[in-house]
């Protein structure tokens, strides 16, 4: 175990009420490239974010998770890192970073950095030296010799095609679960692990408050890298998701990094394909020590064989997933709660109604995330009810995943032209979430004075921060109230969860109970009105409306609840 580090000067004190700060926190995710541009180059940057810290403080969030700002060739928008200890020129430099951290800490807002260590960029020095066979880097990645026409196994890349590319310099294949410019690190090599931990300690020494760990459950692969079941979804997944040594690596990581500092550090593992039982091993009492994980079951509801094959949203299935996760981690572990991030469509477009009921359904979704057990995440623009965008041509797309999808569909003959797959792109492409933040109704939504790197959503004149802040009935104002409500009511943070009417097709209702405190949350997840009886066992005589998104909601529930389309209500004792 490494020696304990003394606290850097720029840290927030840890609370002493016994509960870690991140349980009471609301986290706001920033996608730096699209948040705010301070130098008119069309790309968001660190100074741009620093210019908006008062905005974040006004909203009331407790922590910011920054998607990667490290040096990167940007093959995957910064999730391909070529130097972990440098800020990419397009975002600024370390001094700008220090300024941002101080500005956040001055407002009691903590900073969570993205940690991308399943893979590096192929332009990282480790890979450059590895490809030349230089020791000790020769074994830092997964290299396999063999026929340049026949990859070592049948694993798929998340971004389409084989997970292997042939490198002419080393005359060998290397593994990349994502883009070919994102080679996977060989975690079996102790030197790789030590280099990663040293880098993490370096960031902790700067005073940051946590890490969001990119695809951290992919770091251990089945020994020998055998073929995967060709009929599975993503071929090979059983050999790299929650692999054999993942818990050994993560326990070691926590011991060597987070446990060496005196303050409470938050860690959230991004873990596609994780079950509640798996999650307990990452975050439970006897687990690896992570604070929480991001699971994906609920964002995949309705998907067919691939994410591009979107089906009908099924609320009953969605409720079952949340019931299982809320109760499954109630006594052992902690949940994260999110509906949106930089890889998902906009939540109001995916789960709400982004037409007639955009405002109301955006408020309903916010009510949902802020009244469940676990730590809620707000993805930039979600607090405005930002929607998916129109992409008229493939030239308007920027994401490698979406571009690959369109090109493959055309190459395979499944589509003749972009228009044949446009509907799928506009429903699920990651670019939907990445369009610039809509600050004002000025040109480019006030995001940049230059040309934005990705098109601004056409609806910025109707949906923007300036208007939302002026309008007392806006989605933004409602989010602000929700965040306050959660801060003021422990029952919403720590209460036991009980699902009502599991089979009801449009009403999602649940209670939260903590000692004598009770919360009843009722959400009408549909375009039609609905009426339900107040569930048994709910202390209705003591309940009062704490927040709701419809003017006509009664102050006390009565025996029956009649709800408008997309109506949300929270009653508290
Ligand atoms: O968005 C996805 C594909 O549809 C997800 O499968 C996503 O790739 C997966 O959740 C991993 O995401 C993370 O790692 C990727 C990066 O592209 C994503 O932006 C990041 O969130 C590789 O680093």
């Amino acid at each position: 175990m490494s020696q304990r580090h003394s606290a850097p000067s720029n840290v927030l004190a840890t609370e002493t009420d016994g509960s870690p700060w991140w349980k009471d926190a609301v986290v706001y995710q920033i996608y730096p490239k699209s948040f705010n541009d301070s130098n008119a180059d069309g790309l968001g940057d660190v100074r741009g974010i620093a210019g908006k810290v008062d905005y974040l403080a006004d909203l009331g969030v407790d922590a910011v998770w920054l998607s990667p700002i490290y040096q990167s060739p940007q093959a995957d928008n910064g999730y391909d890192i070529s130097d972990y200890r440098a800020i990419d020129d397009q975002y600024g430099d370390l001094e700008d970073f220090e300024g941002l951290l101080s500005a956040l800490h001055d407002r009691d807002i903590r900073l969570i950095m993205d940690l991308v260590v399943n893979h590096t960029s192929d332009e990282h020095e480790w890979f450059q030296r590895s490809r030349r066979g230089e020791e000790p880097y020769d074994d830092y990645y997964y290299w396999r010799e063999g026929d340049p026409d026949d990859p070592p196994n049948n694993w798929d890349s998340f971004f389409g095609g084989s997970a292997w590319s042939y490198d002419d310099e080393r005359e060998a294949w290397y593994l990349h679960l994502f883009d070919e410019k994102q080679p996977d690190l060989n975690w079996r090599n102790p030197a790789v692990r030590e280099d990663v931990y040293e880098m993490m300690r370096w960031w902790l020494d700067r005073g940051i408050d946590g890490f969001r760990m990119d695809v951290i459950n992919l770091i251990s692969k089945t020994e020998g890298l055998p073929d995967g079941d060709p009929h599975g979804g993503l071929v090979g997944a059983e050999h790299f998701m929650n692999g054999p040594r993942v818990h050994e690596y993560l326990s070691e990581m926590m011991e060597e990094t987070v446990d060496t500092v005196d303050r409470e550090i938050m860690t959230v593992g991004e873990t596609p394909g994780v079950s509640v039982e798996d999650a307990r091993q990452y975050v439970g009492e006897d687990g690896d020590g992570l604070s929480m994980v991001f699971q994906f079951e609920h964002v995949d509801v309705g998907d067919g064989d691939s994410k591009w094959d979107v089906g009908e949203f099924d609320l009953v299935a969605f409720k079952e997933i949340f019931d299982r996760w809320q109760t499954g981690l109630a006594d052992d572990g902690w949940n994260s709660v999110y509906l949106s991030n930089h890889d998902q469509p906009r939540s109001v477009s995916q789960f709400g109604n982004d037409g007639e009921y955009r405002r109301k359904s955006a408020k309903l979704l916010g009510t949902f995330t802020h009244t469940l057990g676990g730590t809620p995440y707000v993805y930039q623009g979600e607090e405005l009810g930002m929607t998916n965008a129109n992409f008229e041509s493939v030239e308007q797309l920027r994401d490698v995943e979406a571009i690959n999808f369109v090109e493959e569909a055309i190459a395979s003959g499944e589509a003749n032209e972009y228009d044949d797959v446009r509907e799928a792109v506009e429903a699920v492409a990651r670019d939907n979430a990445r369009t610039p933040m809509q600050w004002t109704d000025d040109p480019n939504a006030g995001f940049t004075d230059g040309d934005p790197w990705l098109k601004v959503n056409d609806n910025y004149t109707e949906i923007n921060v300036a208007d939302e802040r002026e309008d007392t009935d806006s989605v933004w104002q409602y989010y602000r109230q929700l965040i306050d409500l959660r801060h003021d009511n422990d029952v919403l943070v720590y209460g036991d969860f009980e699902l009502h009417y599991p089979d009801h097709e449009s009403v999602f209702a649940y209670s939260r109970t903590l000692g004598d405190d009770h919360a009843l949350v009722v959400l009408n997840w549909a375009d039609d009105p609905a009426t339900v009886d107040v569930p048994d066992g709910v202390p209705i005589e003591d309940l009062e409306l704490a927040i709701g998104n419809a003017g006509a909601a009664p102050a006390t529930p009565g025996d029956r609840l009649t709800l408008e389309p997309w109506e949300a209500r929270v009653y508290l004792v």
Side-chain angles (χ1 to χ4, degrees):
M1 167 137 174
S2 314
Q3 73 192 73
R4 279 187 102 69
H5 285 229
S6 55
S9 52
N10 183 19
V11 293
L12 286 185
T14 297
E15 289 153 52
T16 49
D17 67 357
S19 183
W21 64 264
W22 41 265
K23 289 197 173 176
D24 297 307
V26 173
V27 181
Y28 187 90
Q29 183 192 350
I30 290 183
Y31 197 65
K33 203 171 238 180
S34 299
F35 194 63
N36 188 31
D37 177 16
S38 74
N39 62 355
D41 64 357
L43 302 154
D45 46 49
V46 174
R47 282 179 184 228
I49 300 169
K52 296 291 184 186
V53 286
D54 285 328
Y55 172 76
L56 302 169
D58 289 349
L59 186 60
V61 298
D62 307 279
V64 163
W65 149 30
L66 267 195
S67 280
I69 53 171
Y70 315 97
Q71 185 180 299
S72 160
Q74 307 289 328
D76 185 21
N77 282 342
Y79 283 91
D80 50 316
I81 299 171
S82 52
D83 184 347
Y84 289 105
R85 289 179 173 82
I87 307 297
D88 197 281
D89 286 347
Q90 74 179 38
Y91 294 128
D93 57 24
L94 277 171
E95 206 177 308
D96 297 332
F97 170 81
E98 301 284 345
L100 172 62
L101 183 61
S102 300
L104 289 168
H105 280 181
D106 286 348
R107 288 157 183 81
D108 277 336
I109 300 174
R110 288 176 159 87
L111 182 60
I112 312 298
M113 295 295 277
D114 223 305
L115 178 79
V116 188
V117 291
N118 172 68
H119 44 266
T120 67
S121 163
D122 64 340
E123 297 181 34
H124 193 288
E125 191 192 341
W126 297 341
F127 189 79
Q128 292 298 319
R129 299 178 74 169
S130 195
R131 125 185 307 167
R132 294 195 291 266
E134 275 177 42
E135 289 191 18
Y137 298 100
D138 53 335
D139 191 32
Y140 264 44
Y141 297 84
Y142 288 98
W143 291 103
R144 290 289 179 275
E145 280 165 12
D147 179 351
D149 295 322
D150 187 19
N153 70 24
N154 66 355
W155 295 3
D156 280 340
S157 149
F158 279 76
F159 291 162
S162 168
W164 293 91
S165 288
Y166 194 79
D167 184 58
D168 289 329
E169 188 165 346
R170 180 142 163 175
E171 298 187 335
W173 292 90
Y174 66 91
L175 177 70
H176 55 86
L177 294 181
F178 294 89
D179 190 65
E180 63 180 348
K181 286 185 67 62
Q182 294 170 295
D184 279 48
L185 282 166
N186 174 13
W187 274 74
R188 290 171 311 167
N189 183 342
V192 168
R193 306 206 293 272
E194 191 37 56
D195 270 347
V196 168
Y197 306 152
E198 198 184 311
M199 174 273 284
M200 290 172 71
R201 290 192 293 265
W202 188 88
W203 278 102
L204 288 170
D205 285 349
R206 315 247 91 59
I208 65 164
D209 304 287
F211 295 107
R212 175 269 186 187
M213 304 173 162
D214 192 64
V215 288
I216 204 66
N217 66 330
L218 307 187
I219 59 178
S220 164
K221 281 87 176 168
T222 305
E223 201 58 39
L225 313 182
D227 274 342
D229 174 0
H231 307 296
L234 189 71
V235 176
E238 70 275 29
H239 295 303
F240 54 71
M241 278 180 177
N242 309 304
R245 294 179 66 184
V246 67
H247 299 296
E248 174 197 332
Y249 298 155
L250 283 180
S251 306
E252 178 186 86
M253 174 196 277
M254 296 302 281
E255 196 174 300
E256 295 286 338
T257 61
V258 168
D259 295 352
T260 67
V261 296
D262 285 325
R263 57 192 196 280
E264 178 70 36
I265 298 297
M266 180 190 127
T267 49
V268 49
E270 191 210 20
T271 51
V274 83
S275 68
V276 176
E277 293 68 35
D278 296 327
R280 253 187 240 121
Q281 297 186 50
Y282 293 104
V283 306
E285 186 87 356
D286 299 322
D288 308 330
L290 266 53
S291 314
M292 62 193 107
V293 294
F294 289 129
Q295 58 88 16
F296 286 78
E297 286 189 60
H298 64 295
V299 290
D300 294 340
V301 165
D303 286 2
D305 282 347
S306 97
K307 70 177 264 179
W308 302 101
D309 178 13
V310 201
E312 277 292 294
F313 177 67
D314 174 354
L315 186 74
V316 173
F318 188 80
K319 288 197 276 191
E320 186 278 325
I321 291 166
F322 277 95
D323 190 23
R324 193 153 34 76
W325 280 88
Q326 289 285 300
T327 52
L329 295 185
D331 300 322
D332 191 22
W334 189 253
N335 273 289
S336 69
V337 186
Y338 76 95
L339 291 175
S340 178
N341 62 36
H342 65 291
D343 293 332
Q344 300 295 328
R346 287 283 173 184
S347 58
V348 72
S349 301
Q350 185 177 6
F351 299 109
N353 174 328
D354 65 5
E356 185 181 354
Y357 296 109
R358 184 188 66 82
R359 275 185 169 213
K360 217 144 154 233
S361 62
K363 290 178 184 177
L364 175 140
L365 299 176
T367 311
F368 177 64
T369 49
H370 289 86
T371 55
L372 286 177
T375 301
Y377 287 75
V378 180
Y379 176 67
Q380 69 182 40
E382 200 172 12
E383 75 279 24
L384 313 176
M386 274 178 65
T387 68
N388 282 355
N390 299 315
F391 295 105
E392 280 142 28
S393 65
V394 71
E395 287 72 36
Q396 289 189 340
L397 301 173
R398 292 290 173 273
D399 181 24
V400 55
E401 183 189 53
I403 295 168
N404 287 353
F405 163 69
V406 176
E407 285 176 354
E408 274 170 30
I410 292 173
S412 70
E414 247 170 79
N416 291 319
E417 53 181 3
Y418 172 71
D419 275 351
D420 297 337
V421 287
R422 179 169 171 179
E423 199 181 322
V425 167
E426 290 181 344
V428 293
R430 305 193 299 181
D431 283 323
N432 283 300
R434 301 176 180 182
T435 62
M437 180 72 177
Q438 291 163 209
W439 294 104
T440 65
D441 63 5
D442 295 328
N444 296 321
F447 159 72
T448 180
D449 290 333
D451 285 331
W453 72 281
L454 169 67
K455 71 170 271 185
V456 173
N457 194 315
D458 306 326
N459 61 20
Y460 73 94
T461 50
E462 295 133 58
I463 306 174
N464 61 68
V465 170
D467 288 354
E468 291 275 310
R469 291 192 64 161
E470 275 196 7
D471 178 350
T472 51
D473 192 32
S474 68
V475 179
W476 191 85
Q477 300 287 358
Y478 188 86
Y479 259 75
R480 200 176 154 187
Q481 291 164 29
L482 279 171
I483 293 169
D484 284 349
L485 189 74
R486 188 172 178 93
H487 285 150
D488 293 343
N489 291 280
D490 274 356
V491 64
L492 297 177
V493 179
Y494 299 102
D496 287 336
F497 174 91
E498 188 194 351
L499 177 67
H500 304 302
Y501 338 111
D503 300 321
H504 197 291
E505 281 174 14
S506 67
V507 175
F508 196 156
Y510 45 90
S511 288
R512 308 285 312 278
T513 312
L514 184 71
D516 293 336
D517 292 338
H518 191 102
L520 173 67
V521 180
V522 194
L523 312 167
N524 182 19
W525 212 290
D527 291 348
D528 298 310
T531 300
V532 287
D533 291 332
V534 168
D536 290 342
V538 170
I540 48 171
E541 56 294 342
D542 299 326
L543 289 180
E544 274 182 37
L545 188 70
I547 194 167
N549 66 357
T556 55
D559 292 341
R560 306 210 82 196
L561 297 154
T562 297
L563 302 151
E564 296 175 8
W566 296 102
E567 183 170 353
R569 293 185 205 166
V570 181
Y571 288 102
L572 292 174
V573 167

